[in-house]
Amino acid sequence: MSSVGLCTSLIPEAKAVLDLVDKCPKHPKKGDFPVIVIEGLDATGKTTVTQSVKESLNAVLLRSPPACISEWRKTFDDKPNHIRRAFYALGNYLVALEIAKASIKSPVIVDRYWHSTAAYSIATEISGKKQNLPPEHHEVYQWPEDLLKPDLVFLLTVSPEERIRRLQGRGLEKTKEETELEANSLFCQKVEESYKRMENPECQEVDASPSREEEMH
Ligand SMILES: Nc1ncnc2c1ncn2[C@@H]1O[C@H](COP(=O)(O)OP(=O)(O)OP(=O)(O)O)[C@@H](O)[C@H]1O
Ligand SMILES: Nc1ccn([C@@H]2O[C@H](COP(=O)(O)O)[C@@H](O)[C@H]2O)c(=O)n1
């Protein structure tokens, strides 16, 4: 929050984001319906899976960062890491409010949430090998006390080769980070390992390599 707050004079969009956050009720509560989060590296199939779960459970589909701040995403993606990460962190608090409202009426499926923000931040901050990550149970792997918790979090994993195939097959313009992920398998390993170390709630790993046809059966 402070990184975004400190840069309002340089980045006018930061004020708009903070205004939205200020208007949010603090500590929104989850409704009675289940809240399921789908996490994973880029192109592991999150959009495909969330769409299909939405249809089969008749669920509301949400994503982090939420639509209400997506117009400012590009601006923050081009800023230094700590400012970019603060933007994504605030996005989670905004999506929490949407989750709270939606889960009163129906199941909710969320495409990325806190675990993504944490895992990518940790992997960016820690240089070198996966062995340099903070040890298991470190505070960086803990869920923020003031953020609405989901009931279940699934981590989609595929082999690096299959993930690159899916990235290439998609053929869309790559973000700076996706290009880095392709080029830097060490970075990917650190993101995935950080996901696996997240606690309370932890990620349930799902092998997402089967083709869509196989997954239907
Ligand atoms: N089970 C599957 N088998 C083969 N290809 C798949 C499978 N699931 C998804 N794909 C393809 O892989 C590409 C990436 O999938 P998708 O967009 O769902 O991933 P994502 O995790 O949401 O990516 P991002 O995080 O970058 O938005 C798409 O072209 C999609 O059609
Ligand atoms: N909760 C989140 C969501 C996303 N990010 C960052 O954005 C990158 C790409 O997200 P997609 O929309 O393409 O899935 C992702 O690699 C993260 O760096 C985040 O930090 N927190």
Side-chain angles (χ1 to χ4, degrees), residues 18-217:
L18 286 173
D19 283 349
L20 274 180
V21 175
D22 283 345
K23 282 190 209 132
C24 273
K26 306 289 171 250
H27 309 297
K29 294 247 172 337
K30 198 181 81 61
D32 288 337
F33 283 89
V35 174
I36 304 165
V37 175
I38 307 292
E39 294 285 10
L41 287 167
D42 302 314
T44 46
K46 295 179 299 301
T47 306
T48 311
V49 168
T50 50
Q51 192 56 42
S52 130
V53 175
K54 170 192 150 70
E55 282 155 25
S56 48
L57 294 184
N58 209 6
V60 168
L61 171 56
L62 299 173
R63 67 187 67 251
S64 169
C68 61
I69 55 168
S70 59
E71 65 181 293
W72 301 305
R73 186 171 179 178
K74 173 81 180 67
T75 303
F76 284 94
D77 273 346
D78 293 338
K79 300 289 176 242
N81 267 324
H82 65 289
I83 296 176
R84 178 172 187 260
R85 296 299 167 196
F87 169 80
Y88 283 103
L90 288 178
N92 292 316
Y93 285 83
L94 293 172
V95 93
L97 196 63
E98 297 182 359
I99 296 173
K101 279 188 195 149
S103 60
I104 296 171
K105 293 193 178 152
S106 62
V108 179
I109 176 107
V110 192
D111 188 340
R112 294 195 190 275
Y113 194 25
W114 179 262
H115 288 112
S116 276
T117 308
Y120 282 90
S121 312
I122 297 164
T124 309
E125 291 303 316
I126 304 300
S127 56
K129 296 182 288 201
K130 172 166 108 164
Q131 285 75 1
N132 298 347
L133 288 172
E136 287 182 42
H137 312 302
H138 190 278
E139 61 181 351
V140 294
Y141 304 121
Q142 308 304 316
W143 190 265
E145 273 176 17
D146 57 351
L147 183 62
L148 184 148
K149 261 188 210 180
D151 296 294
L152 270 175
V153 183
F154 291 110
L155 171 65
L156 305 188
T157 57
V158 297
S159 68
E161 297 74 25
E162 174 62 14
R163 205 177 66 80
I164 305 270
R165 257 195 301 279
R166 290 183 189 184
L167 272 171
Q168 287 167 346
R170 194 161 54 176
L172 297 174
E173 196 191 333
K174 290 182 196 126
T175 62
K176 224 166 56 185
E177 195 162 46
E178 278 173 352
T179 311
E180 185 182 352
L181 283 172
E182 264 184 75
N184 188 350
S185 81
L186 219 50
F187 183 75
C188 285
Q189 288 172 28
K190 286 186 285 186
V191 174
E192 207 160 86
E193 183 58 30
S194 301
Y195 272 129
K196 290 179 188 171
R197 292 187 188 186
M198 300 303 296
E199 291 180 347
N200 193 26
E202 62 183 13
C203 297
Q204 313 289 329
E205 192 176 338
V206 175
D207 176 6
S209 5
S211 68
R212 271 164 294 201
E213 291 69 30
E214 284 172 294
E215 276 172 355
M216 301 289 184
H217 295 108

